[in-house]
Amino acid sequence: MRLDTIFTNAVVHTVDDDHPRATRIGVWQGRVAALDDDLDGVSARRVVDLGGATVVPGFHDAHQHFSMVGREMLQLDVSAPAAPTLDALLAAVAGRAARLAPGTWIIGHGYDQNKIGAHPTAQQLDRIAPEHPVWLVHTSKHMAVANSAAARAAGFSGLDALPEVPGGAVVRVDGVPTGLLQEEAMTRVSDVLFPVPLPQLGDALAAASEHCLARGITSITEPGIGGVGGLGSSRADLRAFQDARQSGRLRVRTTVMPYIEALHDFGPIGPGENGYGLDLGLRSGLGDDWVRVGGVKIVSDGSLIGRTAAMCCDYHDTPGERGFLRVEQPELRRQIVDAHRNGWQVATHAIGDAALDVVLDAYAEAQRLHPRADTRHRIEHCAVTSPEQVRRIVDLGLIPVPQGRFVSETGDGLLAAMGPDRSAGLYRMRTWVDAGIELPGSSDAPVVDSPPLWGLHDMVNRRTASGAAFGLAEALTVEQALRAYTHGSAYATHQEHLKGRIRPGLLADFAVLDRDLLTVAAEEIRDVAVVATVVGGETVHERR
């Protein structure tokens, strides 16, 4: 037998318990054919000498807003690295306004009031860009600031005319709107920006592909398509992914989660049975190695750094504030039960502990009413958990999806929100691994930047940007963190039989690193670099 490629002279960490280390990888038709001694006497059309470099399975980001990553690459960056102060943010907006014709939207992303001292206000934006609609999205994606021109462009006479909506807030000070719109209130302005035209969305998917491949990411799970107004881009999101794959512009394997808004009741499908999902009964699992439909995405509450996640107690630094549910409890329960009943894997965003209780009750009821094996329902973020909630999650067989990158990127703000007495339960990791849960790795990009090696660094070191300890008891070993970002993420999408390890029969997706993750000092993990990325046995990125 002649293989397509043999990669040789490498330090291969396979994340496979049966064969944890290797030095050679044989590839045939996009899959791993054999390792090490099984390649003796086997030839290949191509032999690649990796010069002693370290190889790990391709990273799989289990929660990345992939299309949004691409869209934001075309927008104004007002994150802390680009605009470290409020004055710098305002200067960036003013500079963009000076270059654009009046009436042109200025869309910015990534600001964090925890880092620049305050939210920008509509009044400030009106002064520097009175003739441009300005829309600045918070790093959490759960709030945004609009100026008066943006409100008018959205069909209102001004910010005063924006109505209050269930599951959101139009923030006012002394009765005057500040321009800050939280949760569902964002849609009053953002709806006018959607749907994103398919050609523009195709450009975004192509840009996001290159962005991910340079970081060693070969697979992502996109947590929310089809829900316009933020989480998705248009009602044709799935078509955009398929079109991008057909044209060769989508170069990262994707599992997409339709937003709950895309699902609907489509009537009787049998005796006493009503269908709920996508037309023709489409549900989780449809697709191929490149574009696949995963779980349905539901959002129950907001964010910790925005102080909108639904909590059982007041925020430490905001007395009287406990956040809120974005969906009322009876409707949230109906969504989860109906999706479960119709065969969907369910992935519910639940950050606050009060929201988590509601979600856990709904998952438990769904399983009691309609028992199913191996559902692998997920809790996206799963940020604040009590010991009792941990027990329930384990007993229900759920998959928590926390983000290691939040530790250094937003950790100081999270600690301020929770206070010293309640911070121990933030973004647990070791707890889940010790309980036998197959933990996935993820970034929630573009809320934070997506390099998996930075994520591994934070999962192992658990230190904020200021150096503060962030639940050190929840730190993972390097081996555990690597497993999470590869096999664990594949498991969370029911795809561990296809990827996540370097093992014969699995997809030949891997990242080549300039140093050995398992031997560098823990504090140097984020400095390890990706020198090449391989997808299906083909080198699709090389560091220049």
Side-chain angles (χ1 to χ4, degrees):
M1 176 181 181
R2 192 177 191 201
L3 300 181
D4 295 323
T5 310
I6 294 176
F7 295 88
T8 188
N9 191 17
V11 178
V12 183
H13 298 298
T14 65
V15 193
D16 182 4
D17 293 339
D18 294 334
H19 194 147
R21 302 287 186 273
T23 60
R24 290 181 289 166
I25 306 170
V27 177
W28 186 64
Q29 295 190 349
R31 295 189 180 239
V32 177
L35 301 173
D36 288 347
D37 293 349
D38 289 339
L39 292 168
D40 289 350
V42 177
S43 65
R45 283 185 283 274
R46 182 175 64 130
V47 176
V48 178
D49 188 332
L50 293 175
T54 296
V55 174
V56 297
F59 296 116
H60 183 159
D61 194 327
H63 186 113
Q64 180 187 137
H65 298 276
F66 183 75
S67 56
M68 190 184 297
V69 167
R71 294 203 319 260
E72 288 195 355
M73 292 174 74
L74 309 176
Q75 298 173 358
L76 179 64
D77 185 358
V78 290
S79 63
T85 66
L86 181 57
D87 286 343
L89 179 152
L90 296 173
V93 174
R96 181 64 64 95
R99 297 190 295 273
L100 296 177
T104 306
W105 279 86
I106 298 173
I107 302 175
H109 64 88
Y111 88 87
D112 184 351
Q113 87 285 1
N114 297 289
K115 295 182 178 180
I116 62 176
H119 294 281
T121 67
Q123 292 74 23
Q124 291 168 326
L125 298 175
D126 286 348
R127 284 195 294 272
I128 61 177
E131 298 181 350
H132 295 80
V134 180
W135 181 243
L136 303 181
V137 181
H138 189 262
T139 185
S140 68
K141 315 306 176 191
H142 286 263
M143 60 185 74
V145 177
N147 70 345
S148 298
R152 292 193 296 270
F156 299 94
S157 59
L159 290 168
D160 281 329
L162 291 177
E164 295 291 347
V165 296
V170 178
V171 176
R172 292 177 167 84
V173 175
D174 297 328
V176 178
T178 66
L180 180 63
L181 308 179
Q182 297 177 326
E183 304 297 343
E184 289 298 321
M186 295 170 63
T187 62
R188 290 297 183 258
V189 172
S190 65
D191 277 355
V192 76
L193 300 173
F194 296 91
V196 177
L198 283 175
Q200 181 180 333
L201 186 50
D203 291 343
L205 296 177
S209 292
E210 302 310 311
H211 182 83
C212 285
L213 292 175
R215 289 157 172 76
I217 298 171
T218 58
S219 292
I220 63 95
T221 299
E222 165 87 70
I225 65 167
V228 299
L231 282 177
S233 301
S234 82
R235 302 291 186 192
D237 274 350
L238 183 55
R239 173 183 162 182
F241 276 88
Q242 291 176 307
D243 288 351
R245 176 57 196 153
Q246 186 175 15
S247 67
R249 305 185 79 195
L250 178 66
R251 303 176 66 211
V252 173
R253 303 185 194 276
T254 62
T255 296
V256 297
M257 292 182 176
Y259 186 47
I260 189 66
E261 176 183 290
L263 273 60
H264 59 91
D265 191 326
F266 48 84
I269 58 173
E273 179 76 8
N274 268 19
Y276 179 69
L278 302 180
D279 287 334
L280 302 179
L282 190 155
R283 61 168 175 82
S284 302
L286 183 70
D288 59 18
D289 296 344
W290 284 98
V291 180
R292 178 179 176 275
V293 177
V296 58
K297 174 70 178 296
I298 300 172
V299 180
S300 72
D301 69 343
S303 75
L304 277 182
I305 57 174
R307 312 311 191 261
T308 57
M311 303 295 296
C312 68
C313 307
D314 292 358
Y315 284 98
H316 177 74
D317 58 356
T318 317
E321 179 58 65
R322 296 188 179 188
F324 49 84
L325 290 174
R326 288 184 56 156
V327 182
E328 293 298 323
Q329 182 171 352
E331 176 61 12
L332 185 61
R333 174 210 165 273
R334 183 199 66 78
Q335 291 174 350
I336 290 173
V337 171
D338 282 356
H340 168 91
R341 175 173 55 84
N342 279 271
W344 284 89
Q345 181 186 23
V346 182
T348 308
H349 164 123
I351 287 184
D353 48 5
L356 183 57
D357 276 336
V358 174
V359 171
L360 293 179
D361 287 345
Y363 279 148
E365 183 175 6
Q367 186 66 8
R368 178 178 60 81
L369 294 174
H370 311 285
R372 277 175 52 199
D374 197 27
T375 61
R376 302 188 199 179
H377 292 329
R378 300 165 43 136
I379 304 171
E380 307 302 307
H381 311 300
C382 200
V384 183
T385 51
S386 68
E388 172 59 19
Q389 289 172 326
V390 168
R391 184 193 63 77
R392 292 190 70 192
I393 288 168
V394 173
D395 289 349
L396 288 167
L398 305 176
I399 298 177
V401 188
Q403 286 70 48
R405 282 285 293 116
F406 284 7
V407 173
S408 66
E409 189 76 13
T410 65
D412 288 312
L414 298 175
L415 293 177
M418 293 299 294
D421 295 336
R422 299 171 60 206
S423 295
L426 276 172
Y427 288 97
R428 298 179 189 270
M429 291 186 180
R430 176 61 71 92
T431 292
W432 307 122
V433 173
D434 287 350
I437 285 176
E438 198 66 68
L439 179 72
S442 66
S443 67
D444 199 22
V447 173
V448 298
D449 203 357
S450 62
L453 289 162
W454 293 9
L456 267 66
H457 177 99
D458 287 346
M459 295 162 84
V460 171
N461 290 281
R462 302 280 295 195
R463 293 279 177 179
T464 70
S466 71
F470 191 98
L472 294 182
E474 294 294 332
L476 300 179
T477 67
V478 178
E479 291 88 346
Q480 290 169 335
L482 177 61
R483 181 181 179 93
Y485 243 109
T486 53
H487 175 70
S489 294
Y491 181 88
T493 59
H494 291 269
Q495 291 180 297
E496 73 277 11
H497 62 292
L498 289 175
K499 56 189 175 182
R501 293 169 291 171
I502 298 174
R503 177 175 182 163
L506 272 60
L507 294 167
D509 300 349
F510 48 86
V512 182
L513 311 178
D514 68 347
R515 281 182 284 171
D516 190 340
L517 272 178
L518 274 61
T519 61
V520 300
E523 60 272 14
E524 295 177 1
I525 293 173
R526 68 175 290 139
D527 299 323
V528 175
V530 174
V531 297
T533 304
V534 174
V535 178
E538 299 294 330
T539 301
V540 293
H541 167 80
E542 290 185 273
R543 184 177 64 177
R544 292 184 175 87

